[in-house]
Amino acid sequence: MENPFHIQYYQGPETFCDRVDELARLVEAATNQRSIMLHSMRRMGKTGLIHHLQHTLTHKQKYLCIYLDILDTASDSDFVSQFITTCINQLYTDQSNILKKVTTFFGKYRPKFSIDTLTGNPIIELEITTQKDIDLSLAATFKLLNDSKRKIHIAIDEFQQIGTYSETRIDATIRKHLSTSKNIRMLFSGSQRHLLLQLFNDPKKPMYRLVEQMELYEISYDAYSVFIQAMFKRGRKSIDERVIHLILKWTRSHTFYTQYVCNRLYSLSNKKIEESDLLLIQQRILKEMEMNFLSYRNILSPNQYKVLKAIAIESSVQSVLSKEFTTTYNLASSTARQSLKYLVDTELVYERLTEEGSEYFVYDLFLARWLEGRAS
Ligand SMILES: Nc1ncnc2c1ncn2[C@@H]1O[C@H](COP(=O)(O)OP(=O)(O)OP(=O)(O)O)[C@@H](O)[C@H]1O
Ligand SMILES: [Mg+2]
């Protein structure tokens, strides 16, 4: 049986763990005409959840679902090309129809057709450069979507990317079309919190308060442990509850890391997974990534490295400036403050906002465990 712990793509509801409440909330929003912004720490499971949502909307609600990841785009015209290509591909599954529609609606942008060697889908390249072309071609696409009379869900993943385009008008254009389309709901997703919040929470920006916001957290301990147990059982393997407990503690239940450790454990030939197997896998993973981790000592200044390591050892830190912390790790408070700022800005350390203030931990869990292991 194939390894059920996927670490890349969504493979359907059977190997997808929990997210029952989150899915219900997203379905409820989409079917009640509300668009949403979904954000979380990296690798928490946004993309997986979006596919799970669209799978549900397609099969249970007869939606036409469109998904695009815009991480590779660098400008409004890149965005528009990708948006149009994806929409057209989803709207017209019959390829001869695609050619006809594109020539009719986008003929003046000199479309060039090719085939994506990976997916087999047609790629349409359009010469869209001026602001006017961008506006008109997007308007034409939204018109095609509206005219289809189908319920449509569009998810744009890594949406914060538009904040890096120079002088983007994509957000203003989307706002305009979204508020006039009856059948289209959208979901915007990403992980770079400050960029996303700038787009949605700044009163001067077009998308200010346009959509509902939702943060994705860890899957609950109980749900994950039932899932892990069931997946091993499905492959006629067994795993002790205690080992599952140790996995979830080690990975802080962070989705990607949990999937990764379970994937590795599952691929061992043993029928019964013991604590010693987990230890072995943990060591292997950290060893494999060691070269990568060692390079941080060259990239960071000695103080930054010291603060990073101290946070890893403490696991999570409320105040890097507290007397206790600075004394234990022999840091001057001004250095600690500067280093922390750098580490947060470069996403080596994650700052979680809590009611009492902030909590800091090393963002990459494997790096955290590796640093912790070098404490002595
Ligand atoms: N509920 C789930 N059950 C099982 N596997 C999941 C679940 N959610 C996500 N995954 C898997 O975990 C990995 C990380 O999830 P995903 O890529 O969705 O995270 P992300 O938040 O989109 O990350 P990034 O911020 O890097 O884009 C993926 O391989 C995905 O298939
Ligand atoms: Mg993602």
Side-chain angles (χ1 to χ4, degrees):
M1 179 161 305
E2 192 191 298
N3 195 319
F5 296 102
H6 301 298
I7 47 173
Q8 264 178 318
Y9 305 110
Y10 175 70
Q11 308 266 355
E14 272 164 33
T15 49
F16 195 73
C17 173
D18 189 39
R19 297 301 190 201
V20 174
D21 295 345
E22 292 88 346
L23 177 68
R25 178 166 170 203
L26 291 173
V27 170
E28 191 269 332
T31 51
N32 287 278
Q33 298 92 46
R34 300 193 317 272
S35 291
I36 232 168
M37 188 269 266
L38 174 71
H39 66 109
S40 77
M41 289 179 77
R42 291 213 51 207
R43 298 176 151 187
M44 195 53 88
K46 298 173 294 297
T47 304
L49 180 57
I50 296 170
H51 289 305
H52 192 52
L53 167 70
Q54 294 202 326
H55 182 276
T56 309
L57 290 175
T58 306
H59 292 96
K60 301 219 169 113
Q61 313 271 347
K62 305 268 174 287
Y63 269 69
L64 173 76
C65 289
I66 295 167
Y67 169 87
L68 58 158
D69 173 336
I70 60 164
L71 197 60
D72 285 345
T73 59
S75 64
D76 282 15
S77 60
D78 281 358
F79 176 94
V80 173
S81 282
Q82 197 181 334
F83 186 76
I84 293 177
T85 304
T86 319
C87 290
I88 297 276
N89 273 319
Q90 288 298 320
L91 268 174
Y92 310 107
T93 35
D94 170 4
Q95 300 213 352
S96 59
N97 218 342
I98 292 188
L99 283 178
K100 212 170 92 204
K101 289 285 179 189
V102 171
T103 322
T104 317
F105 286 93
F106 303 101
K108 65 176 165 187
Y109 307 116
R110 301 166 195 267
K112 280 200 217 97
F113 296 91
S114 54
I115 298 288
D116 185 332
T117 46
L118 273 181
T119 61
N121 286 333
I123 300 177
I124 306 148
E125 266 179 78
L126 300 166
E127 275 184 31
I128 295 172
T129 41
T130 65
Q131 190 57 53
K132 195 168 157 223
D133 287 348
I134 289 174
D135 290 347
L136 288 176
S137 58
L138 269 181
T141 316
F142 273 97
K143 182 162 182 347
L144 283 178
L145 295 172
N146 283 322
D147 288 352
S148 82
K149 300 276 183 275
R150 293 185 61 181
K151 292 183 283 186
I152 295 176
H153 187 265
I154 306 176
I156 308 184
D157 209 351
E158 305 293 354
F159 189 70
Q160 78 279 344
Q161 189 68 14
I162 74 157
T164 67
Y165 305 168
S166 67
E167 301 186 20
T168 185
R169 292 225 335 222
I170 295 297
D171 46 356
T173 315
I174 289 181
R175 181 187 180 99
K176 187 175 83 193
H177 292 299
L178 197 52
S179 40
T180 52
S181 302
K182 281 209 183 75
N183 58 335
I184 303 175
R185 289 310 135 224
M186 292 182 78
L187 181 151
F188 308 94
S189 177
S191 53
Q192 279 176 299
R193 190 172 49 197
H194 63 283
L195 284 175
L196 267 181
L197 294 185
Q198 266 169 25
L199 289 167
F200 290 95
N201 290 356
D202 176 352
K204 294 189 289 298
K205 295 281 186 171
M207 296 191 95
Y208 176 63
R209 301 251 166 104
L210 180 65
V211 300
E212 185 173 323
Q213 301 186 0
M214 170 169 161
E215 181 164 5
L216 191 65
Y217 299 100
E218 291 81 0
I219 293 169
S220 79
Y221 181 93
D222 290 347
Y224 228 146
S225 91
V226 168
F227 174 78
I228 295 171
Q229 192 78 261
M231 290 301 114
F232 275 95
K233 199 162 169 205
R234 216 177 76 143
R236 302 216 164 75
K237 291 168 180 274
S238 73
I239 182 166
D240 219 48
E241 205 142 308
R242 182 172 153 70
V243 182
I244 297 180
H245 173 76
L246 293 173
I247 297 173
L248 292 173
K249 221 173 112 193
W250 199 67
T251 64
R252 303 179 198 134
S253 293
H254 198 134
T255 318
F256 169 78
Y257 302 98
T258 310
Q259 289 293 118
Y260 192 77
V261 170
C262 290
N263 176 291
R264 298 289 296 257
L265 278 173
Y266 188 93
S267 73
L268 294 174
S269 55
N270 320 12
K271 286 275 171 233
K272 186 168 175 10
I273 305 296
E274 316 263 1
E275 203 175 321
S276 55
D277 301 317
L278 176 60
L279 283 173
L280 177 82
I281 290 298
Q282 288 169 339
Q283 277 166 7
R284 267 193 204 160
I285 294 174
L286 299 187
K287 192 79 201 151
E288 285 160 14
M289 301 189 175
E290 182 153 55
M291 287 314 276
N292 200 337
F293 297 156
L294 280 169
S295 69
Y296 286 117
R297 276 201 312 217
N298 303 329
I299 300 167
L300 300 174
S301 75
N303 278 322
Q304 288 160 356
Y305 189 77
K306 208 157 128 185
V307 172
L308 183 69
K309 191 166 162 185
I311 295 175
I313 294 167
E314 292 288 313
S315 182
S316 100
V317 174
Q318 249 105 50
S319 175
V320 169
L321 304 179
S322 79
K323 192 111 203 95
E324 202 188 330
F325 185 82
T326 49
T327 328
T328 312
Y329 296 99
N330 193 18
L331 293 154
S333 65
S334 62
T335 350
R337 187 184 313 119
Q338 276 167 13
S339 300
L340 180 69
K341 183 174 178 330
Y342 180 84
L343 295 170
V344 170
D345 287 349
T346 51
E347 296 200 335
L348 280 168
V349 165
Y350 186 77
E351 176 178 14
R352 177 169 277 174
L353 305 173
T354 63
E355 287 196 355
E356 296 84 45
S358 292
E359 185 189 356
Y360 300 92
F361 41 89
V362 175
Y363 208 150
D364 181 330
L365 181 110
F366 292 145
L367 174 62
R369 295 303 182 209
W370 180 79
L371 285 166
E372 196 185 43
R374 298 168 70 86
S376 47

